[in-house]
Amino acid sequence: MAGMCGLEPDINKCPNYNADAMTCAATNRACGFFRESVERKEEKTVYTRKARWYEQYYKR
């Protein structure tokens, strides 16, 4: 599985680095610059307002 390499291309001397695609061709996950190319899903959180502790003392 190919993953993204976080090391800058101009200083990267890794033999598994593919400069054209900026990916790592190795399956070794021990490299400190290796990041898996996984898409993250962003979940939207809906804000629900909770009553503050002092609002019970307001005169309405």
Side-chain angles (χ1 to χ4, degrees):
M1 176 170 191
M4 298 300 294
C5 185
L7 193 60
E8 292 296 322
D10 56 342
I11 60 173
N12 198 337
K13 304 292 184 205
C14 179
N16 298 318
Y17 180 68
N18 183 356
D20 296 332
M22 294 193 316
T23 59
C24 180
T27 58
N28 184 7
R29 291 192 171 98
C31 178
F33 301 105
F34 179 78
R35 295 182 310 219
E36 289 191 37
S37 56
V38 178
E39 295 181 19
R40 296 182 183 179
K41 295 180 181 178
E42 294 183 19
E43 297 179 10
K44 292 186 178 182
T45 57
V46 178
Y47 176 73
T48 55
R49 187 180 181 288
K50 297 178 184 175
R52 309 292 194 260
W53 65 270
Y54 52 83
E55 288 181 351
Q56 62 183 336
Y57 302 110
Y58 282 168
K59 294 181 181 177
R60 296 183 183 193

